[in-house]
Amino acid sequence: MKINLTTQRKAVYDIILQAHDHPTAADVIERLRAAGHNFAYGTVYNSLRYLTDNDLIRELKLGEAASRYDARTEDHHHIVCIKCGRVDEVMTDVPQQWMEAVAEETGYVVHEATINLEGVCPACKTSKP
Amino acid sequence: MKINLTTQRKAVYDIILQAHDHPTAADVIERLRAAGHNFAYGTVYNSLRYLTDNDLIRELKLGEAASRYDARTEDHHHIVCIKCGRVDEVMTDVPQQWMEAVAEETGYVVHEATINLEGVCPACKTSKP
DNA sequence: ATTGAATTTATACTAAATCTAAATTCAAAT
DNA sequence: ATTTGAATTTAGATTTAGTATAAATTCAAT
Ligand SMILES: [Mn+2]
Ligand SMILES: [Mn+2]
Ligand SMILES: [Zn+2]
Ligand SMILES: [Zn+2]
């Protein structure tokens, strides 16, 4: 079906497109308010789901309480700073050979691998305790 | 501090030790009931947290709603069958070289990588649609 | 036996997200 | 232009997973 970008969906999409910090639904609502929009709570969730289902954005589950959203739909992974909570992109892809080893080990047909890393970001490395 | 395995904590631990399916807290409560125990809801959660904090078990966040628990504390990963929901172990470790490439790319000090795979398990591969 | 810290219990509460039913929007058909 | 109906939005209730609280209890050390 053709994609129907209503005012609300477009506004939500724009927030995600402009963000570079993988915002949560709560972040999105906050930024919509700041931009003068005041959509119903559920509409924002519906929009995020709609955009996700239509592959315009991606939903990230990084093991935190709330999902985050990402306008980059290419295959990539994420690393979270354990000091400041910052989330960065990991474009380096896992070796195909490793995926094959997993298929071999488990007997599964492997569809995809979601990789969430943890570490200390450059800024936090050089900051006082 | 010395580990204090109360009756409740021991019973919860035993359930996890005997399970090979990475049960959720709800699964644990169900199995405790079946074993004749009827602990307070919160006690099971407290016990799971206590056991996790003391490295007797591991908490898994596989991107599903509820956490799962695992008696295998060695470093390993998981693969979920998209047909039946089964969760299996992935012992094949990701190449150290890849971790180094990620550190290089992101500038992070990388502490750990959590890898959740998805695919179709051997049983579901050969079953009717 | 007495004390007190740790634990368990029952219950209330929270956070994230979904569901529901009424109100609205909006394009197509008359 | 008006009617129709499907899609969408809205406000609010509901669900799920888990945490917080405060009273009751357990239990080891005095
Ligand atoms: Mn990203
Ligand atoms: Mn495991
Ligand atoms: Zn940081
Ligand atoms: Zn399966």
Side-chain angles (χ1 to χ4, degrees):
Chain A
M1 231 297 239
K2 197 190 163 305
I3 285 168
N4 176 14
L5 276 194
T6 62
T7 309
Q8 290 80 353
R9 289 171 182 168
K10 179 71 167 55
V12 169
Y13 189 29
D14 283 343
I15 297 290
I16 309 286
L17 281 174
Q18 285 155 32
H20 293 281
D21 59 346
H22 305 88
T24 62
D27 293 333
V28 171
I29 290 169
E30 201 174 282
R31 291 170 203 189
L32 284 167
R33 294 250 163 79
H37 294 295
N38 210 329
F39 304 143
Y41 190 67
T43 299
V44 177
Y45 275 103
N46 283 343
S47 298
L48 289 168
R49 191 162 27 161
Y50 179 89
L51 296 168
T52 302
D53 288 347
N54 288 283
D55 293 316
L56 294 176
I57 65 175
R58 274 182 55 190
E59 180 184 9
L60 309 181
K61 306 213 170 165
L62 304 184
E64 301 162 296
S67 286
R68 290 169 172 267
Y69 296 88
D70 194 342
R72 298 188 75 162
T73 55
E74 327 124 64
D75 194 31
H76 70 284
H77 304 289
H78 297 91
I79 186 161
V80 181
C81 176
I82 55 175
K83 301 280 184 198
C84 68
R86 187 190 158 88
V87 176
D88 278 298
E89 314 289 16
V90 174
M91 305 309 295
T92 310
D93 211 359
V94 71
Q96 187 57 35
Q97 189 201 322
W98 180 78
M99 300 278 278
E100 281 157 20
V102 171
E104 172 83 10
E105 178 198 349
T106 60
Y108 275 64
V109 178
V110 178
H111 286 211
E112 67 168 335
T114 304
I115 308 186
N116 301 323
L117 295 117
E118 275 188 10
V120 181
C121 79
C124 288
K125 270 199 293 196
T126 54
S127 72
K128 283 261 165 277
Chain B
M1 231 298 239
K2 196 188 164 304
I3 286 168
N4 177 13
L5 276 195
T6 61
T7 308
Q8 289 81 353
R9 289 171 182 168
K10 180 68 167 55
V12 168
Y13 188 30
D14 283 343
I15 298 289
I16 309 286
L17 281 174
Q18 284 156 31
H20 293 281
D21 58 347
H22 305 88
T24 62
D27 292 333
V28 171
I29 289 169
E30 202 174 281
R31 291 171 203 189
L32 284 167
R33 293 252 163 78
H37 294 295
N38 210 328
F39 304 144
Y41 191 66
T43 299
V44 177
Y45 275 102
N46 283 343
S47 298
L48 289 168
R49 189 162 27 161
Y50 180 89
L51 295 168
T52 302
D53 289 348
N54 288 282
D55 293 315
L56 293 177
I57 65 176
R58 275 182 54 190
E59 181 184 9
L60 309 180
K61 305 211 171 170
L62 303 184
E64 302 163 295
S67 286
R68 290 169 173 266
Y69 296 88
D70 194 342
R72 298 189 74 162
T73 54
E74 328 125 66
D75 195 32
H76 69 284
H77 305 288
H78 296 90
I79 186 162
V80 181
C81 176
I82 55 174
K83 301 280 184 198
C84 68
R86 191 191 152 86
V87 177
D88 278 298
E89 314 289 15
V90 174
M91 305 309 295
T92 310
D93 211 358
V94 73
Q96 187 57 35
Q97 188 200 323
W98 181 79
M99 299 278 277
E100 281 158 19
V102 171
E104 173 84 7
E105 177 199 349
T106 60
Y108 275 63
V109 177
V110 179
H111 285 212
E112 67 168 334
T114 304
I115 307 185
N116 301 322
L117 296 116
E118 275 188 9
V120 181
C121 79
C124 289
K125 270 198 293 195
T126 55
S127 72
K128 281 262 167 279

